[in-house]
Amino acid sequence: MSTLRGHDAILEKFRHALAKGRLASTFLFVGPAGIGKRTFAMRLAQAFLCERVPEVRLEPCGECPSCHQVVSLNHPDVELIAKPADKAFIPLELLIGDAEHRQRAGLCYNIALKPYSGRRKVAIIDDADYLNKEGANCLLKTLEEPPPKSVLILVGTSEQRQLPTIRSRCQIVRFQPLAEADVAALLVERGLCDDPALAQDAAAHSHGSLARAALWCDEGLREFRSELLGKLSASEIDLTPTAKWIGQFVDDAGKDSAAKRQRLRLVVSLAEEFFRAALLAVEGGAPAPDSELANSVAAALRWMPPEAPASCLDLCLDVYGHIDANANQATLIEWWLDEVRSASLTSLPTA
């Protein structure tokens, strides 16, 4: 696991727990998207099941049959589930089996089986943010009474997005954003960017997320961001043409609805970045991280009421929930832009 970047302190805590024989059975990994939480979980599974290196070292060889099976998701003692692209939540079938096999299939059933290897059973729930109340209830027995030799890892973005019944029964592991140097190095190492200078620029805009940095390497996104900043900093948004323009950019992600939702989240995140920088400027905080954003914020604050950035930022955060709920794309974009336009031009009433 020495190849994992940015999470050495967490790795050492796991090593210490193993050495003391005090490894917990259930974990909740939280932190921003794209910083390596799922990769860390999969590498733990490799280390627990490696045939050549004792698990206490947490240094899987990467060459034995077990290590290869974990990577290819074919190991009988590893269960990985995630929200399907066409679903709003993680389906119950993935947790407890379909209607014909209730409690005789799914993650909760499989993790309770005796380990095939004789070592551990490892289950990973990616996208744990998308466990609804019914799904969380299905997990309660497994969380409250973990099967012997089992490790269950839930991967999400924040504690607040998990139901209290989940949070209270897991050991929470908080992952921090990656350092810019690590993001830039990973972009080049993984072949996501072949230009070191562009990789460094992408890392500077990544907020510590490799996934976001990889998107930034796309010239089309950089051009879109420049135009979006120009529209947001203008004193009036031409609603219909702007909505169609954003809609086309989202549609260019492909026919897959999940890809479109991800693209729309990216658009909103660019606006969120703009309004967050404007809010910091109003409050005398740190300047924007790049000159283009700083200039756009300065232009906007010449006409924008000081209360507006906070209101627009809240709107952006609200939109993420509507995207996850599969709201109609065109309607959502128009509503969001109209609300941003209204909030940008309206001061809060005096108390």
Side-chain angles (χ1 to χ4, degrees):
M1 298 185 66
S2 58
T3 58
L4 289 176
R5 290 178 178 270
H7 307 306
D8 292 342
I10 294 175
L11 181 59
E12 284 306 313
K13 288 182 179 180
F14 272 93
R15 284 195 178 119
H16 183 73
L18 283 167
K20 296 290 185 179
R22 296 177 181 173
L23 184 72
S25 295
T26 56
F27 297 92
L28 172 60
F29 287 4
V30 295
I35 62 173
K37 302 184 300 293
R38 180 181 181 277
T39 299
F40 193 99
M42 291 299 295
R43 201 66 63 86
L44 277 180
Q46 249 189 331
F48 290 153
L49 299 167
C50 180
E51 299 170 15
R52 298 180 183 176
V53 182
E55 69 171 11
V56 70
R57 288 173 55 185
L58 290 183
E59 294 179 358
C61 70
E63 299 176 356
C64 69
S66 283
C67 282
H68 284 298
Q69 285 179 313
V70 172
V71 171
S72 62
L73 302 180
N74 289 319
H75 199 291
D77 289 333
V78 177
E79 184 88 1
L80 171 66
I81 68 170
K83 181 183 75 67
D86 60 343
K87 302 291 185 181
F89 297 101
I90 295 176
L92 289 183
E93 304 89 77
L94 296 181
L95 297 167
I96 56 174
D98 59 24
E100 294 183 6
H101 303 89
R102 279 286 190 262
Q103 307 299 342
R104 292 180 288 117
L107 179 142
C108 295
Y109 174 81
N110 291 332
I111 196 176
L113 298 175
K114 183 179 178 180
Y116 179 83
S117 66
R119 303 183 72 174
R120 294 184 187 273
K121 297 284 286 190
V122 183
I124 300 169
I125 302 179
D126 203 2
D127 298 328
D129 292 351
Y130 299 101
L131 277 170
N132 59 13
K133 187 174 182 179
E134 197 173 7
N137 287 337
C138 291
L139 279 175
L140 285 184
K141 180 175 174 56
T142 301
L143 293 172
E144 291 173 345
E145 302 175 17
K149 297 183 177 181
S150 70
V151 175
L152 173 60
I153 302 172
L154 288 76
V155 180
T157 56
S158 72
E159 298 168 55
Q160 290 69 34
R161 292 196 64 175
Q162 315 307 317
L163 293 170
T165 51
I166 296 292
R167 291 199 305 266
S168 63
R169 291 167 172 82
C170 293
Q171 183 173 118
I172 297 173
V173 182
R174 298 175 180 85
F175 286 72
Q176 299 302 316
L178 298 170
E180 283 188 20
D182 287 332
V183 174
L186 286 169
L187 285 172
V188 176
E189 288 174 9
R190 299 188 180 184
L192 299 172
C193 180
D194 55 9
D195 181 348
L198 177 56
Q200 191 61 53
D201 183 58
H205 291 86
S206 69
H207 304 301
S209 166
L210 180 62
R212 185 180 175 91
L215 293 171
W216 193 261
C217 292
D218 179 2
E219 183 179 356
L221 173 61
R222 298 196 300 275
E223 292 176 351
F224 176 86
R225 188 227 192 196
S226 294
E227 191 167 348
L228 180 64
L229 290 177
K231 294 179 183 298
L232 293 175
S233 62
S235 59
E236 180 66 26
I237 296 177
D238 198 350
L239 186 62
T240 301
T242 302
K244 288 182 178 179
W245 171 68
I246 291 176
Q248 184 59 58
F249 181 72
V250 172
D251 288 341
D252 288 344
K255 295 182 178 180
D256 181 62
S257 59
K260 291 181 180 181
R261 287 197 298 273
Q262 187 61 33
R263 178 66 70 88
L264 184 52
R265 286 184 68 89
L266 175 61
V267 172
V268 176
S269 76
L270 294 175
E272 177 194 343
E273 180 184 47
F274 170 81
F275 290 118
R276 195 177 296 278
L279 179 60
L280 285 172
V282 168
E283 296 180 346
D290 65 88
S291 59
E292 184 175 38
L293 178 58
N295 291 337
S296 297
V297 166
L301 293 182
R302 294 190 187 102
W303 57 267
M304 187 181 288
E307 303 90 349
S311 298
C312 292
L313 181 58
D314 286 341
L315 281 168
C316 292
L317 299 179
D318 287 342
V319 169
Y320 292 129
H322 293 298
I323 295 173
D324 291 339
N326 293 326
N328 178 271
Q329 175 184 303
T331 302
L332 179 59
I333 293 172
E334 287 195 16
W335 170 83
W336 173 52
L337 289 176
D338 189 40
E339 291 294 310
V340 165
R341 178 174 62 180
S342 298
S344 297
L345 297 172
T346 304
S347 299
L348 295 176
T350 303

